Amino acid sequence: MLALRLARGSRPLVQLRRLLVAAACAATGFLLLYVLAGATDRPAGSFPRLLWALVPLAVTVQFAVAVARTDPATRPREGLDAVGLGPVRLLLAAVVSTAVACTLGSAVALAAFLHLRGQLTGPPFDGAAAGLLHADRPLPVAAALTLLALIPLSACAATALALRPHAPAAPQTALPWGIALTACGLAIEAYAGPGGAGMPAGWALTAVGLSLAGPGIAYACGALVQAARPGAMRLLAGRTLQEEASRLGRPLGVLCAVGAGALTAAALRGRGGLGVPLGPLTGPAFALVVLCAAATLVTRAVEVRQERSAARTALRDMGAPGAVLRTAATLRATALVAVCAPVVWGVAQLTSLALTR
């Protein structure tokens, strides 16, 4: 009840973020049901399609966790312990809020899927969607509910893991591990080729490697901004970026992986080497992945901005004009684009070479 009261009394922007999570879960749930219906019609080759469908699930869960981290209703405040709202209770409230949004999205996905199959009020659109969704085949109820339950369960587990009370870890860089995993992913893609289950597994490993390397890439961007006799502006932008690297790096790496995947697909489309792993829904699924990855990065940037409010206030009290802070933010964004664009292009080129060997 506490989580529901906190959710009901939140600001419109917070409610909008929760609705975006529900919408992403609905799209992911619909995609999973589509893959399940396709497996009932053509069991052969359904496992690679299921693996590709897990990619939108992963980025949706990442987006749900990012929204939970920025929820003001679950952020620790002074004096809340006195009324019984300690870190554990706030964590529970965040998990319940995430569960409500994700469950709502799964329910919408099931209702929309059954409606388009004509199992609720008759087939809409003159039955045009019935053939696409294999309405002539019975949908396994237990399997459908299991796939839909996977979304809120994964999001809740990831939220609890990300927001659990723990001592701050010592600063470290996982850049070598990220590079190693990315290389392993490219090797698996080269060995498996465009078809089969090896391709999604290799791409997932590449994405994980870029995610691990993301903080190191962001930290290097901060060092690049401060290179060659920096002034006050570049020092402010570079050191701030280095402090934010651990929080912005992971979603930045995932977005780089998505960009590399997009460039690879565009390069191989004319050669017929990649195909459409999810059939007619490949395009919408890719759009969902891009939107969730970008929304996660923006949400984490909002979280970092909230945590940096005290520093901004101190700079303003010292007489720093607002234009200085805006220019520093623009400089940080420019450095990230300047460094990440070659990384995305390079990974895409290596992936294309691996798949057309």
Side-chain angles (χ1 to χ4, degrees):
M1 293 302 294
L2 171 64
L4 295 179
R5 291 194 186 100
L6 292 174
R8 185 180 60 185
S10 299
R11 294 175 297 178
L13 184 59
V14 178
Q15 299 287 18
L16 176 62
R17 289 200 292 260
R18 291 171 180 157
L19 287 177
L20 289 177
V21 170
C25 292
T28 302
F30 190 93
L31 183 64
L32 291 175
L33 292 176
Y34 167 77
V35 172
L36 176 62
T40 61
D41 185 61
R42 292 181 292 114
S46 59
F47 183 64
R49 290 194 296 271
L50 179 60
L51 290 181
W52 279 117
L54 294 180
V55 176
L57 173 62
V59 294
T60 299
V61 169
Q62 184 192 30
F63 178 45
V65 173
V67 170
R69 292 177 65 99
T70 58
D71 195 334
T74 58
R75 297 177 70 87
R77 298 184 181 90
E78 294 183 4
L80 290 182
D81 288 335
V83 294
L85 295 179
V88 176
R89 291 289 299 275
L90 292 177
L91 171 62
L92 180 60
V95 171
V96 172
S97 177
T98 301
V100 170
C102 295
T103 303
L104 175 62
S106 295
V108 170
L110 180 60
F113 190 82
L114 295 178
H115 176 65
L116 292 176
R117 280 169 59 98
Q119 296 180 240
L120 295 181
T121 59
F125 310 114
D126 297 327
L132 176 64
L133 303 181
H134 308 284
D136 56 330
R137 295 276 183 172
L139 186 68
V141 178
L145 294 180
T146 300
L147 287 177
L148 290 177
L150 186 63
I151 302 173
L153 289 178
S154 301
C156 290
T159 299
L161 184 63
L163 301 183
R164 72 191 188 282
H166 62 281
Q172 55 183 356
T173 173
L175 184 59
W177 288 104
I179 295 174
L181 286 178
T182 301
C184 290
L186 293 173
I188 292 176
E189 292 173 3
Y191 178 79
M199 175 62 186
W203 188 88
L205 198 59
T206 301
V208 172
L210 288 175
S211 176
L212 289 177
I217 295 175
Y219 192 90
C221 291
L224 179 63
V225 171
Q226 302 176 73
R229 301 174 62 182
M233 178 69 69
R234 286 200 289 142
L235 281 175
L236 175 63
R239 291 181 181 178
T240 301
L241 186 55
Q242 288 179 326
E243 292 177 0
E244 298 171 354
S246 60
R247 285 166 289 185
L248 291 179
R250 296 293 173 85
L252 179 66
V254 172
L255 190 59
C256 288
V258 173
L263 292 180
T264 302
L268 297 180
R269 177 179 296 179
R271 311 175 197 174
L274 194 57
V276 283
L278 294 176
L281 293 188
T282 299
F286 178 74
L288 174 64
V289 171
V290 173
L291 291 175
C292 285
T296 300
L297 181 58
V298 172
T299 305
R300 290 303 296 270
V302 170
E303 177 192 2
V304 169
R305 179 179 175 82
Q306 292 174 349
E307 295 179 354
R308 212 173 53 238
S309 59
R312 292 199 310 272
T313 302
L315 286 174
R316 290 194 180 98
D317 292 341
M318 295 170 60
V324 172
L325 300 179
R326 290 190 295 270
T327 304
T330 303
L331 187 57
R332 292 195 297 271
T334 303
L336 288 175
V337 172
V339 172
C340 291
V343 172
V344 170
W345 182 84
V347 172
Q349 292 298 313
L350 291 175
T351 305
S352 300
L353 290 175
L355 295 177
T356 58
R357 69 193 193 285

